[in-house]
Structures are given as structure tokens and as C-alpha cells.
Amino acid sequence: MPLVSMRQLLDEAAKGGYGVGAFNVNDMEQIQAIMMAAKETKSPVIVQASRGARQFAEDLYLFRLIQAAAELNPEIPIAMHQDHGNSFETCKSAIELGYTSVMMDGSLKEDGKTPSTFEENVEVTRKVVEFAHERGVTVEGEIGVLGGVEDGHGAGGSGLEHITDPDQAVEFAERTGVDALAIAIGTSHGAYKFTKKPDGSVLKMDVLIAIHKRLPQTHLVMHGSSSVPKDLQDIVNQYGGKLKQTWGVPVEEIQLGIRNGVRKINVDTDNRLAITGAIRKAFAETPEKFDPRDYLKPAREAMKKVVALRMTQFGQAGHAGDYKPMAITEIAKGYANGSLDTRPSMAAAR
Ligand SMILES: [Zn+2]
């Protein structure tokens, strides 16, 4: 099956009342781990690559691997997404490669570090939406600034410094026409999100609920949403790692988000921990071995387990066969005739 529009995946998730995990990839083993999990749980899935991943793997290697995944798993709807595009050019190059979705993160300037102004964000995001929708490609925007840094991208800080303002979120959706919106509710990228189990003082689920009430037709996205479970941290540390104890976003909070408009949940750190733990364990237990397959195979298996568990927890499991993927050209027609227009004024007029 060709790669599927992320918009269609998220529209179907909204109808079914579930969320879809978006898992980051850099290499073949991670792509295989995700596909093994999707197959086992019969899940539609979003695979995403950051700018760092596209650089590490080289565009063509990574994209051909995704195409292979789609060809080998025709029963699984797969959307391929650019994570944290920093400019129009980055998004354009992903679309030209064949990605079916892009994130234009205009919350930061092109350096991927400095917070931008609201007007700058609107301007660059609207430009990407125009280019993408003409080609049937989905766009995720971001309003508010997430905490932490990942792959060199991020403003740093705690995640509480630039919480999304619901009024601005509505204005942003109206002026850009994005399909999906990443909001800042206190989460951060990377492993060190919270210094204790997060409560309402650091994780602003009330802001998320308020935004969904006012923007019911825009799919919300939770970034930095690894749960960073203690058992994965423990395996890394048991075999020589030196992680400081840390807390991620509890799965119950993500599930509360899913009941309130969250359709895409980004997970990267948990998979990184699973892979690293498995490799450390293999090195420690069988130091005489030196065939990379001896540690890459358990690493792939460990990531598959985490992904399959998240797919079940987010509710996407069992939904792969619910719908027939539409051609990207059909999606483009939907944008052109207004039937896929998510701007609040347009949705109200329908
Ligand atoms: Zn992110």
C-alpha cells in the first residue's frame, strides 16, 4: 500500500476515539521494530523522522526503507511524517521526497532554538500549509514552546515557560489552516522531563482540555510524551548505564488527553531506552560475542515490545483494517474543495 495521508489516519482516529503513536526512526532496525509491533497489534501507525534522522541516515536510505515497510505490510496504513521541520525548505524537501505529512515548527526560529514571534509563526506555517495541501500532504503546526532539547532542536528550559494560550491557539488555527496542532502543556523533549511524578502544577491537562473545546476539529498532538518507565531506566543502569532517576508523562495522562482531542502522541525516548538497555545487557552477558546481530536483534525486539504496548495503551491496536486509505491526490481534492478545511470559521459554517 502506498504511504497514507496522516490527516486520514487522524480523522479515522477521531471517529474511533483513539490516539495514534508517532514513533521516531533513524535506521532499519527501528523501522522493523515498529512494523513488527503494528503487524502484531493490527495498528495504523505514524513513522517520523527528525532533521537529525534525515541527516544521520541520508534521505534516500531512510525513505526507501519506509517504502519497503509499506510494501511489505500492505494491511497496515502508514503515514510518513517530518518531525520538527524548522523552515519552509525543510518541509518542502520532505514533501518532494514523498513524505505524507510534515510538521512546521514555527514556534522557534530557523535555528531551532530561539522562540519566534506569533506573527512569524503564522506566516511560515501558512506558507507550508499552502504548499502541502495542494499536494495532499498533512501539516502539523506548533503553538507555545516545548521544554528540553532533542536532536539539537528545542529552546531548552522546563516546559513551563511558554504554555500555549488557548486564544492564540484558536487564532493560529484560523489563520494557518493546520490539520494538527502541537501544544505546550508542560512536557519536554528528552529523558529528563519531570523531577517527580507530574501533577497538575507541572502538566497542564486543563489547558489541553480548554483548547480542544474551542478547536474540536483540529487534531491535538502531544510531544515529549514518552513515559520513561522505571523498568527501562533500571535495565540501562543495571548494565553500566548512568541515568539519573526521572519521570515522563504517565500513560493515564496521555489517555486523558486522548479522551480530549489528542490524536497523535510522539514517542522517542522510551524506544531509545529500550534499545540501549538491550544492547548493554547483551554486551554485559556475552562479552565474547562480536557479531552486531547478536545485540541488534534483542535491541529491535525490546523496542518492538515498547511500541506494541503503547499501541495498545493509545487505542490504535485493532484499527488497521477499519478503513480504505485514500490516494493522496484525493486528499488534495478535499483540501481544494474545502471539505477538509479545519479553520474554526469554516467548520462552523459547514
Ligand atoms: Zn517534538
Side-chain angles (χ1 to χ4, degrees):
M1 151 184 329
L3 294 168
V4 181
S5 148
M6 187 171 88
R7 173 66 186 273
Q8 192 187 4
L9 246 77
L10 301 184
D11 282 351
E12 290 292 337
K15 271 188 234 162
Y18 58 90
V20 183
F23 304 99
N24 286 78
V25 295
N26 302 278
D27 59 30
M28 180 184 76
E29 287 77 8
Q30 289 177 312
I31 293 169
Q32 290 176 325
I34 294 167
M35 295 321 300
M36 284 154 65
K39 212 171 164 143
E40 186 182 285
T41 61
K42 299 184 172 54
S43 299
V45 69
I46 300 163
V47 177
Q48 59 184 14
S50 64
R51 276 186 296 139
R54 286 177 60 185
Q55 220 166 31
F56 172 80
E58 290 187 51
D59 269 338
L60 206 53
Y61 281 119
L62 199 60
F63 192 70
R64 292 277 200 266
L65 286 168
I66 299 292
Q67 285 180 313
E71 207 174 309
L72 291 170
N73 300 276
E75 72 286 11
I76 305 290
I78 309 169
M80 182 63 201
H81 176 77
Q82 161 80 55
D83 191 19
H84 288 286
N86 63 321
S87 65
F88 175 78
E89 279 67 33
T90 299
C91 294
K92 181 170 177 269
S93 68
I95 292 167
E96 286 170 346
L97 260 174
Y99 283 45
T100 56
S101 180
V102 293
M103 177 186 194
M104 178 60 235
D105 179 0
S107 72
L108 300 174
K109 291 184 188 283
E110 202 171 327
D111 66 5
K113 291 181 178 67
T114 319
S116 61
T117 67
F118 180 72
E119 290 300 325
E120 287 169 332
N121 191 356
V122 166
E123 195 184 322
V124 68
T125 305
R126 189 164 50 193
K127 193 173 160 194
V128 170
V129 168
E130 232 167 70
F131 185 85
H133 282 185
E134 265 175 30
R135 291 155 181 83
V137 171
T138 313
V139 180
E140 173 186 340
E142 175 167 328
I143 179 81
V145 181
L146 287 147
V149 179
E150 185 173 63
D151 273 4
H153 181 101
S158 75
L160 282 173
E161 288 157 39
H162 305 275
I163 296 287
T164 304
D165 167 39
D167 289 334
Q168 268 200 347
V170 173
E171 192 187 337
F172 186 80
E174 182 65 39
R175 289 175 62 190
T176 61
V178 287
D179 303 278
L181 188 59
I183 54 173
I185 54 167
T187 62
S188 298
H189 290 122
Y192 299 102
K193 301 181 193 302
F194 303 109
T195 51
K196 61 181 173 67
K197 191 173 175 191
D199 56 22
S201 68
V202 286
L203 189 60
K204 306 287 183 192
M205 295 305 289
D206 53 329
V207 173
L208 185 150
I209 292 167
I211 293 170
H212 175 57
K213 281 209 176 109
R214 297 185 54 192
L215 283 178
Q217 69 286 355
T218 304
H219 303 299
L220 300 183
V221 183
M222 280 177 81
H223 278 242
S225 289
S226 277
S227 298
V228 202
K230 192 171 177 304
D231 58 331
L232 292 182
Q233 297 178 44
D234 287 348
I235 296 175
V236 173
N237 286 341
Q238 185 187 338
Y239 295 100
K242 285 203 168 72
L243 298 171
K244 288 176 287 178
Q245 203 184 4
T246 175
W247 280 264
V249 181
V251 169
E252 318 82 84
E253 300 292 337
I254 295 171
Q255 289 168 332
L256 171 65
I258 292 168
R259 290 195 294 277
N260 290 281
V262 170
R263 298 293 159 233
K264 174 173 181 271
I265 305 104
N266 289 7
V267 176
D268 191 5
T269 297
D270 288 352
N271 294 328
R272 293 178 172 196
L273 289 172
I275 289 168
T276 300
I279 290 177
R280 282 191 172 280
K281 184 166 186 274
F283 282 169
E285 288 180 347
T286 50
E288 72 286 3
K289 290 192 170 176
F290 58 90
D291 180 340
R293 288 170 299 188
D294 289 329
Y295 53 87
L296 291 178
K297 211 172 155 190
R300 184 172 65 185
E301 185 61 28
M303 172 163 163
K304 185 212 103 178
K305 260 193 201 158
V306 176
V307 172
L309 178 62
R310 293 290 174 267
M311 285 171 162
T312 305
Q313 290 166 330
F314 299 161
Q316 75 209 80
H319 288 287
D322 287 4
Y323 51 93
K324 215 175 133 329
M326 285 163 69
I328 289 291
T329 46
E330 287 305 304
I331 301 282
K333 280 182 202 161
Y335 287 123
N337 68 25
S339 62
L340 290 176
D341 199 322
T342 53
R343 286 175 293 167
S345 60
M346 296 301 288
R350 265 203 297 278

